[in-house]
């Protein structure tokens, strides 16, 4: 902290040193001074005739030394020398001003040292530094604040006397100090004597109220602690105990009147900030109806409620209210949707000609020539072929591409001769060797944050519009337009009228249907930390068929309750779809022979689809404590 003052201290030291040097030059003998400064030196000496030249020299020397100490941040020593210089030569105001500057630096350094000592726990060093600063500057406001803090620390750490420690608080209910030993009880006596004997075994004196009748009872209990024995005793004798001090109790019959009369009542003011009027009313009703607190005053304007009840009732009410204000548990559902799809299409084999075309060569030639007479005349006129050379003309027509016929695309087999020359043209033949395969993988990682007992819905897919009904405007024939429905001679208007009356407006009514996956989950955090999931799974898809123009939907639903450990994953649903189709093409008979059907045309298609839904619950907020309270089984004798 002292480094903050280095730069101002250096500047102040340089200024003070310069002024000290000027003073030293003025304090030199008049014989060494120039002739022009003689008058000013005489005036100065006359104004301070009571200060000797020796003291002036010594004061100037101390001033210079103090400036060097000030430059080195030794403010305490610089202050002393500044004060000595001011005492030796009071006529120099620079000495007094330099002493004030050094004093302020010393006080600041002492306050910083005291603050550092206070934070480190050294109260003695802090007190000494503040006392020294108080001696130097009694009117410092910052110093007064530090002194008040020192006083507060001293008061807070002071040990109060025995009678003053609890003077400002109300006395709490006494706690019983019972023996920690276990005892066996096999007693047959009356209820009053049984109470005295059981409490005496644990070092407690019991005072039995007159409300407990001396009825005969039997009490058998082995290796019982004080808590177990007192609880069993209350069940057997229908009584309750009120501690009077650490070793005495008052036992009375357990009735509402005795509870109100003997039970210690505590009064507590509960603050309900941020609650609405209805919520504060609900809290008041909870205290009165559930916890049976007869004295519960609600002040909605202040946001407080004052309750007067027993200590156990107040503790239970505070615990319940704290859990209600903290809110319910929250669960983070990590939902993973894994979709795998595989499609394989294979086409192999040779497809042989499955039809033959028989024709007469002469008839086919004449048909071609007759249908292309213009081209024939152009070939003859150009001299490419003689008028009777039929084969040459046909060859030129086929080679030019102007004439095409299916009988020439697959080859021709000729037989016969003359006018009976005929040909056979087989159908097309093909060989297939192709493979088309596709794989798709989809991973959806979705996180749902749901409150305890709340419903969360996850949808993955699309919304498909389905026309459920349609509205038709059947009143168009009653349109009444002057010049159209009444008198008019325009034929165009009459045609417009006919078009209007012949058409009707159709307004469809559309409903959107969710296709794909719909997952509804309701988590519930149980007391041992596990998560119970109520699941409702639905898969919807188009069936591919329609009834009256409406599509048919395929639905698959799954509902269950799954209990999981927090952080453990479970496969909620697993679906596998497999589809395979085969098609064979070829000649009848040949394709049915085993072994030969692999050589003919064959198409095989295989489709695989897999869907996995994995859910992992994580409890990210659980205000309620997990675990079960211990239970004690009591067999009541009859």
């Amino acid at each position: 902290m002292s480094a903050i003052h280095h730069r101002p201290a250096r500047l102040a030291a340089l200024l003070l040193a310069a002024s000290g040097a000027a003073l030293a030059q003025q304090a030199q003998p008049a014989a060494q001074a120039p002739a022009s400064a003689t008058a000013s030196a005489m005036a100065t000496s006359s104004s301070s005739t009571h200060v000797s030249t020796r003291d002036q020299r010594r004061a100037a020397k101390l001033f210079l030394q103090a400036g060097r100490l000030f430059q080195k941040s030794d403010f305490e020593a610089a202050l002393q020398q500044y004060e000595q210089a001011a005492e030796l030569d009071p006529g120099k105001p620079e000495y007094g001003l330099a002493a004030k500057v050094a004093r302020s630096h010393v006080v600041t350094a002492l306050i910083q040292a005291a603050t550092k000592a206070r934070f480190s726990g050294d109260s003695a060093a802090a007190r000494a530094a503040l006392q020294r600063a108080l001696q130097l500057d009694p009117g410092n406001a910052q110093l007064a604040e530090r002194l008040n803090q020192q006083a507060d620390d001293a008061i807070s750490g002071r040990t109060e006397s025995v009678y003053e420690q609890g003077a400002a608080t109300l006395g709490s209910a006494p706690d019983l100090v019972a023996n920690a030993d276990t005892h066996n009880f096999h007693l047959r006596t009356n209820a009053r004597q049984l109470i005295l004997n059981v409490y005496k075994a644990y070092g407690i004196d019991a005072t039995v109220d007159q409300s407990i009748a001396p009825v005969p009872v039997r009490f058998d209990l082995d290796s019982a602690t004080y808590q177990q024995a007192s609880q069993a005793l209350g069940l057997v004798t229908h009584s309750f105990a009120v501690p009077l001090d650490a070793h005495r109790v008052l036992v009375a019959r357990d009735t509402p009147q005795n509870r109100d009369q003997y039970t210690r009542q505590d009064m507590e003011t509960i603050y309900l900030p941020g609650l609405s009027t209805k919520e504060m009313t609900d809290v008041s009703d909870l205290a009165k109806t559930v916890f049976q607190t007869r004295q519960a005053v609600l002040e909605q304007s202040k946001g407080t409620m004052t309750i007067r009840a027993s200590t156990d009732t107040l503790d239970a009410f505070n615990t319940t209210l704290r859990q209600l204000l903290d809110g319910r548990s929250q669960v983070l559902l990590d939902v993973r949707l894994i979709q795998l799809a595989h499609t394989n299409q294979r086409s192999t084999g040779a497809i042989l000609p499955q039809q033959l075309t028989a024709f007469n060569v002469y008839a086919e030639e004449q048909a071609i020539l007759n249908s292309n007479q213009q081209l024939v005349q152009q070939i003859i006129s150009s001299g490419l072929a003689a008028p009777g050379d039929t084969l040459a003309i046909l060859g030129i027509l086929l080679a030019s591409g102007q004439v095409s016929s299916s009988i020439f695309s697959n080859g021709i087999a000729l037989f016969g001769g003359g006018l009976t020359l005929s040909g056979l043209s087989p159908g097309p033949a093909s060989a297939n060797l192709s493979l088309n395969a596709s794989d798709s993988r989809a991973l959806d990682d979705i996180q749902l944050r749901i409150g305890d007992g709340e419903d969360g819905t996850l949808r993955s897919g699309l919304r498909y519009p389905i026309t459920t009904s349609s509205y038709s405007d059947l009143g168009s024939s009653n349109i009444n337009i002057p010049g159209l429905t009444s008198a008019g001679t325009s034929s165009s208007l009459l045609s417009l009228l006919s078009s209007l009356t012949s058409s009707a407006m159709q307004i469809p009514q559309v409903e959107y249907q969710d296709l794909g996956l719909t997952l509804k989950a309701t988590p519930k955090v149980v007391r041992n930390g596990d998560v119970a999931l109520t699941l409702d799974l639905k898969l919807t898809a188009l069936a591919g068929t329609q009834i009256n123009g409406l599509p048919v939907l395929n639905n698959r639903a799954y509902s269950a309750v799954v209990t999981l450990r927090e952080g453990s994953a479970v496969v909620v649903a697993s679906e596998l779809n497999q589809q395979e189709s085969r098609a064979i093409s070829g000649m009848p008979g040949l394709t049915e022979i085993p072994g030969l059907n692999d050589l003919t045309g064959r198409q095989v298609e295989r489709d695989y689809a897999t869907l996995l839904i994995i859910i992992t619950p994580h409890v990210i907020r659980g205000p309620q404590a997990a675990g079960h309270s211990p239970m004690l089984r009591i067999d009541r004798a009859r």
Side-chain angles (χ1 to χ4, degrees):
M1 297 295 291
S2 61
I4 299 176
H5 302 283
H6 283 174
R7 186 175 299 274
R10 185 178 300 273
L11 294 176
L14 293 176
L15 293 176
L16 293 176
S19 62
L23 291 174
Q25 291 179 2
Q26 293 179 4
Q28 290 179 358
Q32 298 179 2
S36 61
T38 303
S40 61
M42 290 177 64
T44 302
S45 63
S46 64
S47 63
S48 58
T49 55
H50 61 281
V51 179
S52 62
T53 305
R54 180 180 178 180
D55 292 339
Q56 291 179 359
R57 292 179 180 177
R58 186 180 177 185
K61 184 177 180 180
L62 291 173
F63 188 82
L64 292 174
Q65 292 178 358
R68 298 189 186 96
L69 294 174
F70 193 93
Q71 187 177 2
K72 295 179 180 179
S73 299
D74 191 357
F75 306 120
E76 189 83 20
L79 175 61
Q80 295 178 1
Q81 295 192 8
Y82 282 140
E83 291 178 347
Q84 292 178 8
E87 291 177 357
L88 291 176
D89 192 357
K92 299 296 183 182
E94 293 84 359
Y95 297 163
L97 294 175
K100 290 181 180 180
V101 174
R103 184 181 294 106
S104 65
H105 283 75
V106 173
V107 172
T108 302
L110 289 174
I111 292 175
Q112 293 175 357
T115 304
K116 186 183 296 184
R118 178 173 175 266
F119 288 156
S120 61
D122 191 356
S123 59
R127 190 180 305 109
L130 292 178
Q131 289 177 356
R132 173 58 180 163
L134 183 61
Q135 293 175 1
L136 296 175
D137 190 2
N140 193 312
Q142 188 177 6
L143 179 61
E145 182 180 355
R146 295 297 186 276
L147 289 174
N148 292 333
Q149 292 179 356
Q150 189 74 17
D152 294 340
D153 294 342
I155 292 174
S156 61
R158 186 181 63 182
T159 303
E160 297 179 355
S161 61
V162 177
Y163 299 99
E164 293 179 353
Q165 290 179 359
T169 59
L170 296 174
S172 59
D175 296 331
L176 287 175
V177 181
N179 297 334
D181 301 335
T182 58
H183 296 277
N184 301 327
F185 299 98
H186 301 282
L187 302 176
R188 293 186 178 182
T189 180
N190 59 66
R192 298 177 64 89
Q193 189 63 36
L194 176 63
I195 294 173
L196 296 175
N197 293 338
V198 171
Y199 279 103
K200 187 177 181 181
Y202 295 98
I204 298 175
D205 295 333
T207 300
V208 184
D209 187 70
Q210 295 298 328
S211 59
I212 297 180
V215 295
V217 293
R218 178 178 177 180
F219 190 73
D220 294 322
L221 196 62
D222 294 330
S223 301
T225 62
Y226 168 72
Q227 297 292 339
Q228 297 172 346
S230 61
Q231 185 177 2
L233 182 64
L235 294 175
V236 172
T237 60
H238 304 283
S239 63
F240 71 99
V242 178
L244 300 178
D245 55 25
H247 300 284
R248 292 188 304 167
V249 296
L250 172 64
V251 182
R253 186 171 180 80
D254 193 359
T255 61
Q257 295 78 11
N258 290 338
R259 287 278 185 178
D260 295 339
Q261 181 178 0
Y262 296 115
T263 304
R264 292 178 179 270
Q265 300 291 319
D266 296 338
M267 187 171 62
E268 181 179 0
T269 300
I270 300 175
Y271 295 89
L272 305 173
L275 298 184
S276 62
T277 303
K278 183 180 181 302
E279 291 174 344
M280 287 191 289
T281 304
D282 294 340
V283 172
S284 178
D285 295 341
L286 175 68
K288 294 178 181 179
T289 57
V290 178
F291 293 92
Q292 300 296 322
T293 56
R294 300 180 180 179
Q295 299 181 3
V297 180
L298 177 63
E299 297 184 9
Q300 295 182 356
S301 60
K302 298 181 179 179
T304 61
M305 184 175 63
T306 303
I307 300 179
R308 189 172 183 268
S310 62
T311 304
D312 295 338
T313 303
L314 288 179
D315 293 341
F317 177 75
N318 288 331
T319 303
T320 303
L321 182 61
R322 188 180 302 109
Q323 294 178 356
L324 291 176
L325 293 178
D326 288 343
R328 293 176 294 178
S329 302
Q330 291 185 358
V331 179
L332 180 66
L333 295 182
D334 189 0
V335 183
R336 294 188 177 183
L337 305 178
I338 302 176
Q339 304 178 36
L340 303 177
H342 175 73
T343 302
N344 189 316
Q345 296 179 355
R346 181 179 298 176
S347 178
T348 59
I351 301 178
L352 299 178
Q354 300 181 8
Q355 62 182 359
L356 296 175
T357 302
F359 60 92
N360 184 270
V361 175
Y362 178 77
E364 191 68 23
E365 290 177 357
Q366 293 301 319
I368 294 174
L369 293 175
N370 292 333
S371 60
N372 298 279
Q373 285 294 325
Q374 184 177 0
L375 297 177
V376 172
Q377 294 298 328
Q378 291 180 0
I379 293 173
I380 295 174
S381 62
S382 60
L384 297 177
D389 194 355
T390 307
L391 294 178
I393 295 174
L394 288 175
I396 294 172
L397 290 175
L398 295 175
S400 63
Q402 299 294 327
V403 178
S404 62
S405 179
S406 59
I407 62 176
F408 302 112
S409 59
N410 299 321
I412 301 174
L414 299 177
F415 61 91
L419 295 177
T420 61
L421 181 63
S422 302
L424 291 176
S425 175
S430 62
N432 299 324
L433 186 62
S434 64
L435 174 65
N436 186 7
S438 63
D439 293 317
S440 63
R441 301 177 183 179
L443 172 61
D444 294 336
D445 193 350
I446 305 172
Q447 293 182 347
L448 301 177
R449 183 167 181 168
I450 310 174
D452 189 8
E454 295 181 356
D455 296 336
T457 304
L458 170 64
R459 291 185 176 91
S460 178
L462 54 90
R463 305 194 68 188
Y464 186 80
I466 298 177
T467 303
T468 57
S469 61
S470 62
Y471 171 76
S472 178
D473 186 8
L474 301 179
S476 59
S477 59
N478 297 326
I479 296 177
N480 186 10
I481 302 176
L484 294 179
T485 58
S486 59
T489 59
S490 176
S491 60
S492 61
L493 293 178
L494 292 176
S495 63
L496 176 62
L497 176 61
S498 61
S499 63
L500 289 175
T501 55
S502 62
S503 62
M505 184 180 297
Q506 299 287 335
I507 302 175
Q509 301 293 327
V510 179
E511 178 182 354
Y512 286 90
Q513 179 68 35
D514 292 328
L515 300 182
L517 172 66
T518 301
L519 176 63
K520 182 179 179 181
T522 304
K524 183 66 177 179
V525 181
V526 297
R527 295 187 62 185
N528 61 351
D530 295 345
V531 179
L533 287 177
T534 302
L535 300 175
D536 187 2
L537 179 64
K538 184 178 180 181
L539 295 174
T540 306
L542 295 175
T545 58
Q546 293 185 355
I547 298 178
N548 295 329
L550 299 179
V552 178
L553 301 179
N554 283 336
N555 293 323
R556 297 182 183 181
Y558 168 78
S559 299
V561 178
V562 183
T563 302
L564 304 174
R565 289 186 177 274
E566 193 272 335
S568 300
V570 62
V571 178
V572 177
S574 176
E575 183 182 11
L576 175 63
N577 293 332
Q578 182 176 357
Q579 183 178 359
E580 182 176 353
S581 61
R582 297 186 179 184
I584 300 176
S585 60
M587 293 183 178
L590 282 177
T591 55
E592 298 177 0
I593 298 175
L596 293 180
N597 50 11
D598 293 336
L599 301 177
T600 59
R602 184 179 182 186
Q603 294 182 354
V604 180
E605 181 177 356
R606 294 186 178 93
D607 296 331
Y608 301 92
T610 304
L611 173 64
L612 293 178
I613 302 177
I614 304 174
I615 298 180
T616 305
H618 301 279
V619 180
I620 58 177
R621 187 174 185 270
Q624 285 80 11
H628 297 274
S629 58
M631 300 181 65
L632 178 65
R633 181 180 178 86
I634 301 295
D635 293 332
R636 184 176 298 175
R638 296 183 179 179

